[in-house]
Amino acid sequence: NAGVMQNPRHLVRRRGQEARLRCSPMKGHSHVYWYRQLPEEGLKFMVYLQKENIIDESGMPKERFSAEFPKEGPSILRIQQVVRGDSAAYFCASSIMTGEDGYTFGSGTRLTVV
Amino acid sequence: GENVEQHPSTLSVQEGDSAVIKCTYSDSASNYFPWYKQELGKRPQLIIDIRSNVGEKKDQRIAVTLNKTAKHFSLHITETQPEDSAVYFCAAPDGNTGKLIFGQGTTLQVKP
């Protein structure tokens, strides 16, 4: 079992470019969650998805951020027109059922905007 | 929605001493409380969890206690070792969708 796979591990983007972060959940897990972690801060919820559905996007900024989890392929977190404040670690987690069964986290994508 | 408060934000202990981290939650319907450990530059990893039908759970040097009446739960680490140094996060599920809401984190430093 390969666990939750995130790529890339590190991503550098210039201001105004787009960032695309990928997450493949553990085998058998159909629930995917994205969290953002600023340096020396906690894990802030962004979005919760199941296959082809967004269940909860209450933590997503209203502009520039979007997420999807298509029927085939990984979940994608997309950030358009990145700004320096977007620099953070973005963690994906997956679970079999809802979070009440615990998450398995991926290794994260560390986004740096220059 | 759920709100989780965690204290202290930093904790420094001598090797061999005990460490206690406390969390409070707001949603009385919450019934699952995990703890995660995050080493520097790495992913958060689940170390122990507890469900509301028990008051305490232990796994070697780590234990978690739950007080549903007061809506708080605590992580206890005994005989601390330098490798216990990390950031620890508590969490509780949001009642609407079940997503986990995390506390602010506690940076534990164990001094040799």
Side-chain angles (χ1 to χ4, degrees), chain B:
Chain B
E2 180 68 277
N3 184 46
V4 179
E5 298 287 334
Q6 182 173 346
H7 300 280
S9 57
T10 60
L11 180 59
S12 181
V13 300
Q14 287 294 135
E15 182 177 358
D17 287 350
S18 295
V20 181
I21 303 170
K22 299 180 180 180
C23 287
T24 61
Y25 61 97
S26 61
D27 188 346
S28 58
S30 291
N31 58 7
Y32 174 71
F33 307 92
W35 285 89
Y36 289 81
K37 175 183 180 182
Q38 186 179 30
E39 297 177 351
L40 189 62
K42 296 191 176 180
R43 76 183 79 190
Q45 290 193 298
L46 179 68
I47 56 172
I48 196 168
D49 56 17
I50 191 168
R51 297 185 187 276
S52 59
N53 57 345
V54 298
E56 182 174 359
K57 183 177 178 181
K58 192 173 182 180
D59 182 5
Q60 299 182 350
R61 296 186 297 106
I62 293 173
V64 57
T65 58
L66 172 63
N67 183 327
K68 282 223 75 178
T69 302
K71 290 191 283 188
H72 67 71
F73 56 111
S74 300
L75 178 71
H76 304 254
I77 307 173
T78 58
E79 301 172 24
T80 54
Q81 302 168 2
E83 52 264 39
D84 294 330
S85 296
V87 180
Y88 292 81
F89 293 98
C90 63
D94 175 81
N96 294 324
T97 61
K99 66 180 187 281
L100 290 177
I101 302 300
F102 287 83
Q104 298 90 332
T106 297
T107 301
L108 173 64
Q109 181 185 27
V110 180
K111 298 178 181 178

Side-chain angles (χ1 to χ4, degrees), chain A residues 4 9 33 35 37 41-43 45 48 55-56 58 91 98-103 105-107 110, chain B residues 31-32 34 36 38 41-46 49 51 89 93-94 97-104:
Chain A
V4 179
R9 290 292 303 274
Y33 314 82
Y35 286 78
Q37 187 174 37
E41 292 194 9
L43 296 157
F45 169 77
Y48 164 24
I55 306 302
D56 184 341
S58 58
F91 286 97
T98 70
E100 296 185 10
D101 284 311
Y103 290 173
F105 278 92
S107 297
R110 280 150 185 84
Chain B
N31 58 7
Y32 174 71
Y36 289 81
Q38 186 179 30
K42 296 191 176 180
R43 76 183 79 190
Q45 290 193 298
L46 179 68
D49 56 17
R51 297 185 187 276
F89 293 98
D94 175 81
T97 61
K99 66 180 187 281
L100 290 177
I101 302 300
F102 287 83
Q104 298 90 332

